[in-house]
């Protein structure tokens, strides 16, 4: 059974209608004459897929999965793609520029070593996203749309890890390495450090779930202008933004590095109990909030957080009276954990200190956020100091935090591309990570 069949007919018809409308506007984007192949922008595809099927858009900078569909207890990660021509073809699926040195070293050891290294890196990136989103390996798919003259074809196919124990048909050319793992064909192009996967609608794991024509408007400019003027005539209401978002650094804003014994390295601090040498738990962390953030966005975590900071100073010697900012934090994997803003100048963003356990039996204490962020997703599994360079290798150095406009009780969190916090503080566009390719 395909994922497509799990959606209602109403949802599928809405999605197809959005695609037809966008395809009808193809002449907006044509720069030269040729066959009228309908156009589709990949970001628009992500947006309408999430909207039509009530999914979560989980792309944080070209990560492996673009949207998340939830059916009861089943979570399905979906990669979305589109390109011209329904013929079998290789398409870019991941970029590995940060791993060029490792790949170059493995190339010196032979083709088998090279294919294994590239496949292993791709699998590691996939598993990181499984942990981030709470996915199981076997449930995920590619949903892709091929575009031919006057029509769209919607396809689904499996989206597995590469079987590193079954690499075969290795072929090296001047520009690329080709291989097969028993399920999918892949190639790696050396010039741009990109992994490509072959998509073929005739494969047994591929389903053509819908095919429909697209009528292209001759003069979309006139159509858009008339539609806009009609819309202005109908309403003058201002549409308010429903979501408020912000970004936090995973490093010190002052030093531009992960501090040695605080923040993500809080577990390296001295034991809490002075009578023991027992180290703190590896997942004991907090996210540093620069004072500049609170002054620039005083109403993000709470209404007038500066006033709360002043009240905390007032009760500096009476800890039980010091106010804190508490809320529920929803992780991308579906877990909800209690969290708070605490510490001097409310500089620590961390999970709360409770005795309640999550669905996996783990305590919802200060360690809950660190377990997901540092261990489950970023993969720290031994007592190695976290550095900014280590975060760069993982493709992130910031977190995205968001909430509904008038709701201070529930916040959402996910990773953000490198440089996101600095751009946010400087009122610049948030960067898009080039680690993965749509």
């Amino acid at each position: 059974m395909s994922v497509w069949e799990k959606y209602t007919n109403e949802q599928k018809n809405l999605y197809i209608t959005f695609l037809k409308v966008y395809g009808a506007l193809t002449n907006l984007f044509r720069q030269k004459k040729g066959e009228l192949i309908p156009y589709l922008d990949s970001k628009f595809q992500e947006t309408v897929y999430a909207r039509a099927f009530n999914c979560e858009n989980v792309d944080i900078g070209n990560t492996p999965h673009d949207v998340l569909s939830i059916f009861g207890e089943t979570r399905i990660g979906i990669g979305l793609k589109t390109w011209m021509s329904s013929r079998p073809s290789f398409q870019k699926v991941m970029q590995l520029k940060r791993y060029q040195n490792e790949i170059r070293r493995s190339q010196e050891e032979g083709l088998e070593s090279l294919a294994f290294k590239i496949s292993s890196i791709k699998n590691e990136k996939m598993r990181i996203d499984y942990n981030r989103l709470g996915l199981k390996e076997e449930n995920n798919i590619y949903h892709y749309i091929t575009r031919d003259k006057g029509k769209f074809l919607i396809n689904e196919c499996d989206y597995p890890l590469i079987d590193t124990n079954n690499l075969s048909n290795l072929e090296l050319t001047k520009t690329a390495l080709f291989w097969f793992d028993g399920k999918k064909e892949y190639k790696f192009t050396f010039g741009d450090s990109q992994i490509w996967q072959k998509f073929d609608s005739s494969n047994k794991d591929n389903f053509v779930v819908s095919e429909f024509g697209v009528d292209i408007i001759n003069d979309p400019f006139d159509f858009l202008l008339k539609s806009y003027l009609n819309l202005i005539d109908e309403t003058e209401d201002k549409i308010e933004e429903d979501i408020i978002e912000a970004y936090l650094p995973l490093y010190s804003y002052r030093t531009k590095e992960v501090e040695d014994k605080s923040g993500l390295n809080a577990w390296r601090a001295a034991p809490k109990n002075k009578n023991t040498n027992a180290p703190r738990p590896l997942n004991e962390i907090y996210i540093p909030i620069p004072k500049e953030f609170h002054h620039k966005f005083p109403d993000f975590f709470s209404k007038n957080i500066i006033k709360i900071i002043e009240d905390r100073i007032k009760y500096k010697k009476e800890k039980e009276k010091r106010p804190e900012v508490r809320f529920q934090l929803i992780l991308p994997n579906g877990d909800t954990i209690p969290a708070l803003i605490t510490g001097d100048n409310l500089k620590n963003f961390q999970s709360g200190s409770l005795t309640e356990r999550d669905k996996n039996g783990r305590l919802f204490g200060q360690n809950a956020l660190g377990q997901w962020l540092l261990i489950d997703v970023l993969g720290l599994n031994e007592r190695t100091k976290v550095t900014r360079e280590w975060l760069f290798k993982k493709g992130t150095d910031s977190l995205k935090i968001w909430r509904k406009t008038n709701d201070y009780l529930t916040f959402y969190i996910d990773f953000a591309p490198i440089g996101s916090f600095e751009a946010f503080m400087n009122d610049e566009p948030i960067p898009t990570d080039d680690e993965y390719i749509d």
Side-chain angles (χ1 to χ4, degrees), residues 377-389:
V377 178
L378 295 184
L380 186 72
N381 54 21
E382 57 185 23
R383 293 184 175 276
T384 303
K385 186 173 74 170
V386 176
T387 64
R388 189 90 180 271
E389 182 181 1

Side-chain angles (χ1 to χ4, degrees), residues 80-143:
L80 298 176
K81 299 188 71 65
T82 182
W83 61 86
M84 289 193 297
S85 178
S86 298
R87 296 190 302 271
S89 65
F90 280 96
Q91 298 295 324
K92 302 171 186 177
V93 294
M94 189 176 287
Q95 189 173 67
L96 302 180
K97 284 184 178 179
R98 296 192 184 98
Y99 296 85
Q100 287 177 325
N101 291 336
E102 292 180 37
I103 291 171
R104 193 175 295 113
R105 286 194 296 269
S106 66
Q107 187 174 2
E108 298 171 357
E109 300 172 5
L111 296 188
E112 292 81 3
S113 177
L114 177 60
F116 182 84
K117 170 58 71 174
I118 295 169
S119 300
S120 297
I121 294 173
K122 182 177 187 297
N123 287 350
E124 178 190 3
K125 296 296 183 185
M126 294 291 293
R127 291 189 177 101
I128 286 174
D129 228 36
Y130 294 162
N131 291 330
R132 177 173 74 98
L133 300 173
L135 303 175
K136 292 185 178 179
E137 177 182 331
E138 66 274 9
N139 287 340
N140 313 299
I141 66 161
Y142 267 120
H143 172 103

Side-chain angles (χ1 to χ4, degrees), residues 16-26 36-40 145-153 211-217:
I16 289 173
T17 300
F18 275 127
L19 295 176
K20 285 182 176 180
V21 170
Y22 198 91
L25 301 175
T26 292
L36 280 179
I37 297 176
Y39 179 71
L40 178 61
I145 296 175
T146 53
R147 313 190 306 272
D148 297 297
K149 184 177 180 180
K151 68 178 182 180
F152 283 163
L153 278 80
E211 179 178 345
F212 52 90
V214 176
D215 296 320
I216 297 176
I217 299 172

Side-chain angles (χ1 to χ4, degrees), residues 3-256:
V3 173
W4 181 259
E5 293 172 346
K6 295 178 180 288
Y7 300 125
T8 67
N9 288 333
E10 182 181 8
Q11 290 175 315
K12 290 184 281 191
N13 289 335
L14 178 62
Y15 179 61
I16 289 173
T17 300
F18 275 127
L19 295 176
K20 285 182 176 180
V21 170
Y22 198 91
L25 301 175
T26 292
N27 281 326
L28 286 174
F29 315 105
R30 295 183 71 210
Q31 295 180 332
K32 50 188 176 182
K33 295 182 179 180
E35 285 190 334
L36 280 179
I37 297 176
Y39 179 71
L40 178 61
D41 178 76
S42 60
K43 293 302 179 184
F44 175 82
Q45 182 189 9
E46 288 181 21
T47 301
V48 298
Y49 192 103
R51 176 168 177 166
F53 299 122
N54 194 28
C55 300
E56 297 179 35
N57 191 323
V58 294
D59 180 8
I60 57 169
N62 297 322
T63 39
H65 303 94
D66 298 303
V67 295
L68 173 68
S69 265
I70 302 175
F71 303 95
E73 295 296 317
T74 302
R75 302 168 66 85
I76 298 176
I78 302 172
L80 298 176
K81 299 188 71 65
T82 182
W83 61 86
M84 289 193 297
S85 178
S86 298
R87 296 190 302 271
S89 65
F90 280 96
Q91 298 295 324
K92 302 171 186 177
V93 294
M94 189 176 287
Q95 189 173 67
L96 302 180
K97 284 184 178 179
R98 296 192 184 98
Y99 296 85
Q100 287 177 325
N101 291 336
E102 292 180 37
I103 291 171
R104 193 175 295 113
R105 286 194 296 269
S106 66
Q107 187 174 2
E108 298 171 357
E109 300 172 5
L111 296 188
E112 292 81 3
S113 177
L114 177 60
F116 182 84
K117 170 58 71 174
I118 295 169
S119 300
S120 297
I121 294 173
K122 182 177 187 297
N123 287 350
E124 178 190 3
K125 296 296 183 185
M126 294 291 293
R127 291 189 177 101
I128 286 174
D129 228 36
Y130 294 162
N131 291 330
R132 177 173 74 98
L133 300 173
L135 303 175
K136 292 185 178 179
E137 177 182 331
E138 66 274 9
N139 287 340
N140 313 299
I141 66 161
Y142 267 120
H143 172 103
Y144 66 95
I145 296 175
T146 53
R147 313 190 306 272
D148 297 297
K149 184 177 180 180
K151 68 178 182 180
F152 283 163
L153 278 80
I154 302 178
N155 299 258
E156 283 186 6
C157 71
D158 291 347
Y159 191 0
L161 296 174
I162 299 177
D163 185 354
T164 54
N165 295 317
N166 195 29
L167 305 182
S168 63
N169 298 355
L170 277 71
E171 179 185 349
L172 183 66
T173 68
K174 291 183 179 179
T175 60
L177 171 70
F178 294 78
W179 74 99
F180 180 59
D181 75 339
K183 297 177 184 177
K184 304 283 185 181
E185 293 181 59
Y186 299 93
K187 73 174 180 179
F188 179 79
T189 47
F190 300 110
D192 49 16
S193 300
Q194 291 174 352
I195 300 179
W196 304 58
Q197 177 182 312
K198 189 172 185 180
F199 291 83
D200 185 348
S201 61
S202 66
N203 286 347
K204 62 181 181 180
D205 74 338
N206 197 105
F207 304 93
V208 179
V209 297
S210 185
E211 179 178 345
F212 52 90
V214 176
D215 296 320
I216 297 176
I217 299 172
N218 288 329
D219 189 354
F221 297 93
D222 182 62
F223 169 79
L224 283 181
L225 185 59
K226 289 179 179 178
S227 299
Y228 174 73
L229 292 176
N230 288 335
L231 179 64
I232 294 300
D233 289 340
E234 290 175 7
T235 178
E236 295 182 357
D237 292 338
K238 182 179 179 180
I239 301 175
E240 293 187 1
E241 183 64 53
D242 186 45
I243 298 296
I244 303 295
E245 65 182 40
Y247 293 81
L248 291 178
L250 291 172
Y251 55 91
S252 166
Y253 189 41
R254 180 179 58 84
T255 67
K256 310 302 181 186

Side-chain angles (χ1 to χ4, degrees), residues 303-314:
K303 292 182 179 179
N304 195 359
I305 202 166
I306 303 302
K307 175 66 165 55
I308 299 177
I309 292 174
E310 292 172 351
D311 289 343
R312 285 177 61 83
I313 296 174
K314 187 188 306 180

